[in-house]
Amino acid sequence: MATLKESLTGALPEKELALVPSSYDTVGDLAIFSEFPPELKKKEKLIGGALLGMHKNLNVVLKKVGTYSGKFRTPKLKVIAGEDRKETMHVEHGCRFRVNPEKAYFSARLGGERKRIAIQVKKHESVLVLFSGIGAYPIVIAKIAQPQEIVSVELNPYAAKYHQENLRLNKVFHISLIKGDVVNVLPKLKKKFDRIVMPLPKGGERFLKDALQCSKKGTVVHFYTFSREDALGKLGKEIIEMCKKTKVNAKILDVVPCGHFGPGIVRACVDFQRI
Ligand SMILES: C[S@@+](CC[C@H](N)C(=O)[O-])C[C@H]1O[C@@H](n2cnc3c(N)ncnc32)[C@H](O)[C@@H]1O
């Protein structure tokens, strides 16, 4: 299949053609350009239209008009072509997620990572998913592993609304969603979990101490963070040191890179076990 640039040949002068972005994210039937060159502002409708013409499964083209920001990690988006909406239905591992990426963080690129976690979960486990967003981690875990109990915690009211709706859509009724700040919610939980998922790569360390209060010997933690690619080898040791500061001993099970964040920077999941 022709690339977007190739499909625009003749429609744009060479100088502009060279600037056409070659990558974009898809969430359901939305295509999202992360970095759309300002020089192409007047041609955005044409470029978006060309993309829609190439992919029949896409109905809306958006561009980010700011970076991921705020505690909810949401970007401002602008529709540049197609239907005038930002909400969609995304399908992943047989699960359906209703989502508006401008209101609640969601990355389709993490689908493989969610499955990697889900297939480790055993039926007898109780699982705590912090920073659960629209419910993608807990729902994929519920569908694939059917563990005894899942508790999820999310602060953003829009994300929590989609999370609730997605529970109904996927007919998973044994997930308890707690709406609120992890800092306030965890001390009240008074429960020890077999597994804790912490998908907050920017600043997740601030919540590690509270999360570990909900752990016991043997608990497995999936802790996400950003790291320089060349410093990945040191990550495990750093996390063990952080745990020690809260008087918890841990051993590293795995350090898994799961996506690029910027030049030389990766998102990584440190899987560790309390010992
Ligand atoms: C990077 S997103 C991950 C969302 C989701 N787990 C996913 O992968 O699609 C982080 C999420 O944590 C939520 N969040 C940030 N700080 C929080 C806090 N203190 N307590 C609860 N949720 C929080 C944000 O609203 C956001 O939905």
Side-chain angles (χ1 to χ4, degrees):
M1 179 187 268
T3 63
L4 178 57
K5 256 185 202 163
E6 283 164 356
S7 78
L8 284 160
T9 307
L12 289 178
E14 281 298 321
K15 218 169 137 194
E16 289 179 349
L17 202 57
L19 296 173
V20 171
S22 52
S23 71
Y24 53 89
D25 281 307
T26 57
V27 177
D29 65 351
L30 314 178
I32 307 170
F33 285 108
S34 289
E35 282 162 29
F36 198 87
E39 297 89 332
L40 295 178
K41 194 172 185 323
K42 287 190 177 146
K43 305 291 171 68
E44 62 191 24
K45 198 168 180 192
L46 175 78
I47 296 168
L51 189 62
L52 293 179
M54 291 169 65
H55 300 281
K56 296 296 161 224
N57 55 327
L58 296 177
N59 291 309
V60 186
V61 182
L62 302 130
K63 69 170 185 179
K64 273 183 200 160
V65 285
T67 50
Y68 282 102
S69 61
K71 59 185 171 186
F72 300 153
R73 311 292 304 140
T74 48
K76 185 103 190 77
L77 299 172
K78 180 188 170 204
V79 174
I80 62 171
E83 295 170 27
D84 186 18
R85 64 176 159 86
K86 297 171 186 173
E87 193 180 77
T88 188
M89 178 79 81
H90 183 80
V91 179
E92 172 183 306
H93 311 308
C95 306
R96 291 188 302 154
F97 302 131
R98 193 174 293 286
V99 59
N100 175 338
E102 188 179 61
K103 297 278 186 202
Y105 176 97
F106 178 76
S107 170
R109 288 182 192 231
L110 286 172
E113 175 58 16
R114 287 188 270 272
K115 187 171 180 189
R116 185 186 73 84
I117 304 296
I119 59 179
Q120 294 178 46
V121 178
K122 316 269 182 324
K123 275 211 157 40
H124 63 78
E125 285 186 16
S126 55
V127 182
L128 174 62
V129 181
L130 304 176
F131 320 112
S132 55
I134 58 117
Y137 271 93
I139 292 170
V140 171
I141 291 172
K143 282 278 184 185
I144 290 181
Q146 298 166 358
Q148 209 166 72
E149 182 189 17
I150 304 178
V151 174
S152 61
V153 185
E154 173 55 48
L155 178 65
N156 174 354
Y158 293 108
K161 179 186 120 345
Y162 281 113
H163 189 320
Q164 201 75 58
E165 187 178 344
N166 289 329
L167 293 181
R168 278 193 300 275
L169 261 174
N170 291 281
K171 300 187 172 55
V172 282
F173 302 110
H174 61 299
I175 297 177
S176 319
L177 164 63
I178 305 176
K179 299 169 199 172
D181 192 317
V182 157
V183 171
N184 304 323
V185 171
L186 292 185
K188 290 184 201 140
L189 266 181
K190 295 194 173 35
K191 191 178 156 51
K192 311 288 184 199
F193 291 82
D194 298 306
R195 192 176 296 269
I196 302 174
V197 187
M198 298 183 67
L200 185 68
K202 193 166 192 287
E205 318 78 56
R206 286 180 289 130
F207 304 97
L208 189 59
K209 187 175 174 207
D210 289 318
L212 288 172
Q213 302 293 322
C214 296
S215 71
K216 56 190 174 187
K217 266 189 188 172
T219 295
V220 172
V221 180
H222 304 283
F223 179 83
Y224 290 82
T225 186
F226 291 127
S227 165
R228 283 203 339 262
E229 215 162 356
D230 58 8
L232 268 177
K234 295 186 203 148
L235 254 187
K237 209 168 158 216
E238 281 172 25
I239 303 294
I240 288 191
E241 287 307 314
M242 274 191 233
C243 290
K244 268 195 190 141
K245 282 190 190 144
T246 68
K247 301 197 172 23
V248 166
N249 288 322
K251 70 169 181 189
I252 299 299
L253 302 175
D254 214 345
V255 176
V256 182
C258 46
H260 276 89
F261 183 65
I265 307 287
V266 288
R267 183 193 296 104
C269 183
V270 181
D271 297 346
F272 67 87
Q273 184 165 38
R274 183 165 176 173
I275 50 175

